[in-house]
Amino acid sequence: MTTDITKTTDLAASDNASRVTALRWLAAVGGVATIASTFMSWTYTSEFPGDLTVYGYPGGLQVLTLVAGLVIVLFSLASLGIKGLGWLAPTGTTKALQLLALGAFGTTWFTVIAIAVELGGVINLEPGGYVAAVTSAIPVVAAFMLPDDTRKAQRPKELPSWAEILIVVAAFAVGMYVITYGIDTEYAELFTGYLIAVGFGVAALFKAGLVARLSGLTTKYRQVTLIAAFVAAAAFPFTQNTDTYTLIAVNILIFATVALGLNIVVGLAGLLDLGYVAFLGVGAYTAALVSGSTASAFDVHFPFWAAVLTGAAVSLIFGVVIGAPTLRLRGDYLAIVTLGFGEIFRIAMGNLDGVSGPQITNGPNGIPNIPDLEFFGYNFGESHTIAGIELGSYANYYLLMLLAMVLVVLVFSRAGSSRIGRAWVAIREDETAATAMGINGFRVKLIAFALGATLAGLAGTVQAHVQHTVVPEMYQFAGPVPPNSAFLLAAVILGGMGTISGPLLGATLLYMIPAKLQFLQDYQLLGFGIALILLMRFRPEGLIANRRAQLEYHETDQLDVPEKGLPDSGVGIAKAGA
């Protein structure tokens, strides 16, 4: 009797293993078929952007489907145990395959639907479009029929130091290429497909455990990581032929730098500041008034370094003046007061026009004609040739803003791990308990407020010269174009409070999406509101969260206890057999 049960169990297990293997091969075949479909014509007219009419040469959105299909094939082979591909999925392949399959399916079907909608019906699809739509569904069906193989990541095989460093450098090179590809997209359809493919792709890498493994390497080789990140970012302007997309990159850096400064106030100290963009405006207006603008009320022209220091110093003063009487408040009361400060600043800049107040800022007209920066004879408004490559004016400002961001990241990291940084975290977690332990809550919060204001003012001085003008409408609580207070706060929450890379990623997404998808500008607040709701539901700690936040928001996962069979019951035996 026992022998028969054993044979039956072994046969069932063998059949199940064969079914799983067949499904994995089906996913791989579906990925290959998806790749093949991109070499066919999807439409007969070139009116749809990207020229999807050519046989044998993928173009436009077809390239995204091709890459997604290729990654599906790699992970399918990894799930089959192909030697050398196991490192792709340290924690399992099923969930990663599901996400990758959805990414390829979503990108392909978005393209097919866009062709039908924009060109007036499915009649505009060539056979290749139908083939792509069908083949992209095959990996989805196969992946969602696979059993979950999530496991705990094993310690990876020790590699030589040069190989691990090479992996870190390659990861940053690929990441920079992906970001550059997104910034350089020429039309909204391609950028939308890019968001779908990259969004599901990155989520798949997280589920597979590959990102965690790379994070371990970057922690191990911290200096190499910092150098690789800086070099990858600095290489961006050298890949551009015009300043069109470099201007977007400059504004992203400005937005990200200000968001990182706000992260000190909100992420570390836990102070809800709804008027933070006003400090950016203080730095910008200060730089505009002292940099020799023809519309300035002061006949002065400070050199670059002096204008930057002046803008940062004035923002620091405003931070202390505003923070001293208000930081004794907490929670919603503090948020309302900071919101009022932001609105007071904008209205005051509009009233200093010589009619409602002194003639300082030209009121609603702002301060135009701000000259380009000049540093030791290097004019940032002129093109310069470096290593045989001509860099435009916005490329100069990009590199300058990159150095400013490095400074802000250094300040944030040093402050966060210092004694004052630990005091900020204590205040954020429980101000009453922190005060009882001897921390001067008011002084600690004032330092955070002042430091955040200084960093925002520093970014504002560069922004004034990049935009060549400052007007009050640029510094609203919520407006059509970031940076504004609502978008800055959303960038910190979306990316992950208390981290360095989180706000940088959040700011990049929140600036790049409206810049690329112009048709969404009237609905972007609605879209971001929906995105934040979904984020709070599924990933409240943000896209990139620190370990503390993950434990806090997912503490129930840490308390899960494996089920055990009850005495004299078949539960444990059934689970063991399964």
Side-chain angles (χ1 to χ4, degrees):
M1 182 69 177
T2 304
T3 304
D4 293 340
I5 295 176
T6 303
K7 289 182 178 179
T8 303
T9 303
D10 291 342
L11 182 61
S14 177
D15 291 341
N16 184 60
S18 299
R19 185 182 70 88
V20 171
T21 301
L23 288 173
R24 288 170 175 169
W25 275 113
L26 180 62
V29 171
V32 172
T34 301
I35 294 173
S37 71
T38 63
F39 291 88
M40 304 174 67
S41 173
W42 288 12
T43 180
Y44 63 85
T45 174
S46 59
E47 292 183 10
F48 187 82
D51 194 8
L52 310 184
T53 64
V54 181
Y55 277 90
Y57 188 81
L61 284 157
Q62 290 175 323
V63 175
L64 297 175
T65 299
L66 186 151
V67 174
L70 178 61
V71 179
I72 288 174
V73 173
L74 287 176
F75 272 82
S76 298
L77 296 178
S79 68
L80 288 165
I82 302 298
K83 187 175 181 180
L85 295 179
W87 60 270
L88 284 174
T91 60
T93 57
T94 298
K95 291 185 177 180
L97 263 177
Q98 292 172 353
L99 290 169
L100 291 171
L102 287 175
F105 179 81
T107 304
T108 304
W109 276 78
F110 165 76
T111 307
V112 170
I113 294 173
I115 291 173
V117 172
E118 292 188 19
L119 301 183
V122 295
I123 194 173
N124 294 282
L125 289 171
E126 284 279 77
Y130 295 104
V131 172
V134 174
T135 55
S136 65
I138 296 175
V140 176
V141 175
F144 277 90
M145 292 179 66
L146 287 171
D148 188 3
D149 64 347
T150 302
R151 58 185 180 271
K152 186 176 181 180
Q154 301 296 320
R155 178 180 290 275
K157 181 181 178 181
E158 194 75 21
L159 296 176
S161 297
W162 63 267
E164 293 180 336
I165 292 175
L166 188 60
I167 292 174
V168 172
V169 173
F172 275 99
V174 172
M176 192 61 206
Y177 177 80
V178 171
I179 295 174
T180 301
Y181 185 91
I183 295 176
D184 290 349
T185 49
E186 298 179 354
Y187 45 92
E189 293 87 353
L190 181 59
F191 184 73
T192 304
Y194 164 84
L195 287 180
I196 296 172
V198 172
F200 280 103
V202 172
L205 296 182
F206 271 98
K207 286 295 184 181
L210 187 58
V211 173
R213 180 159 291 181
L214 289 175
S215 297
L217 290 179
T218 57
T219 303
K220 182 178 180 181
Y221 300 99
R222 185 174 180 82
Q223 291 184 348
V224 174
T225 299
L226 295 176
I227 295 173
F230 179 79
V231 171
F236 172 79
F238 294 92
T239 65
Q240 305 299 303
N241 296 323
T242 66
D243 271 349
T244 303
Y245 301 120
T246 308
L247 176 59
I248 295 177
V250 172
N251 287 321
I252 288 175
L253 285 181
I254 293 173
F255 190 17
T257 302
V258 181
L260 196 57
L262 178 61
N263 197 27
I264 293 177
V265 180
V266 177
L268 293 182
L271 306 175
L272 185 56
D273 188 349
L274 298 181
Y276 187 75
V277 76
F279 296 119
L280 177 70
V282 170
Y285 266 99
T286 302
L289 291 171
V290 302
S291 294
S293 170
T294 56
S296 173
F298 307 108
D299 188 18
V300 295
H301 189 175
F302 286 5
F304 161 68
W305 62 269
V308 170
L309 291 179
T310 303
V314 174
S315 297
L316 169 63
I317 293 172
F318 266 82
V320 173
V321 170
I322 299 301
T326 61
L327 288 178
R328 300 184 187 279
L329 302 173
R330 298 185 186 181
D332 298 339
Y333 300 102
L334 176 63
I336 292 173
V337 170
T338 54
L339 175 61
F341 164 65
E343 291 302 299
I344 289 172
F345 170 79
R346 181 178 61 83
I347 295 172
M349 294 301 101
N351 287 337
L352 298 179
D353 56 357
V355 178
S356 302
Q359 171 61 358
I360 299 178
T361 65
N362 295 324
N365 297 322
I367 304 176
N369 303 322
I370 302 173
D372 288 300
L373 290 173
E374 187 169 342
F375 190 56
F376 290 114
Y378 187 95
N379 192 313
F380 284 78
E382 298 177 355
S383 298
H384 299 272
T385 302
I386 299 178
I389 300 176
E390 184 176 353
L391 298 180
S393 60
Y394 291 126
N396 299 324
Y397 283 111
Y398 174 88
L399 295 174
L400 174 64
M401 216 39 239
L402 183 61
L403 292 175
M405 173 171 286
V406 170
L407 175 62
V408 174
V409 168
L410 181 63
V411 171
F412 182 92
S413 60
R414 294 296 184 183
S417 58
S418 66
R419 180 179 179 182
I420 191 70
R422 293 192 293 272
W424 287 336
V425 173
I427 290 291
R428 182 193 67 193
E429 297 300 322
D430 192 330
E431 184 172 351
T432 303
T435 303
M437 295 300 293
I439 296 176
N440 188 331
F442 172 75
R443 182 176 65 86
V444 168
K445 290 190 293 184
L446 185 60
I447 292 174
F449 209 73
L451 180 58
T454 304
L455 297 179
L458 178 68
T461 60
V462 180
Q463 185 203 35
H465 292 87
V466 172
Q467 303 289 347
H468 294 101
T469 185
V470 288
V471 292
E473 285 71 22
M474 296 170 61
Y475 308 104
Q476 303 179 29
F477 169 72
V481 180
N484 52 62
S485 291
F487 277 41
L488 288 169
L489 186 60
V492 174
I493 297 174
L494 174 67
M497 294 189 296
T499 65
I500 294 177
S501 54
L504 302 184
L505 175 62
T508 301
L509 293 175
L510 292 185
Y511 189 92
M512 193 161 62
I513 291 175
K516 288 294 183 179
L517 304 180
Q518 298 290 336
F519 64 93
L520 287 180
Q521 290 225 344
D522 294 335
Y523 307 99
Q524 59 179 309
L525 289 179
L526 173 64
F528 291 146
I530 294 174
L532 287 175
I533 291 173
L534 294 175
L535 185 74
M536 293 299 102
R537 170 60 183 85
F538 297 104
R539 195 171 176 84
E541 70 271 23
L543 296 177
I544 301 177
N546 57 28
R547 184 63 177 165
R548 180 194 297 270
Q550 287 181 321
L551 292 175
E552 288 177 354
Y553 287 110
H554 301 283
E555 59 182 5
T556 55
D557 298 339
Q558 312 298 322
L559 299 177
D560 287 344
V561 178
E563 295 186 33
K564 296 182 179 179
L566 298 176
D568 300 326
S569 74
V571 177
I573 299 175
K575 286 186 176 291

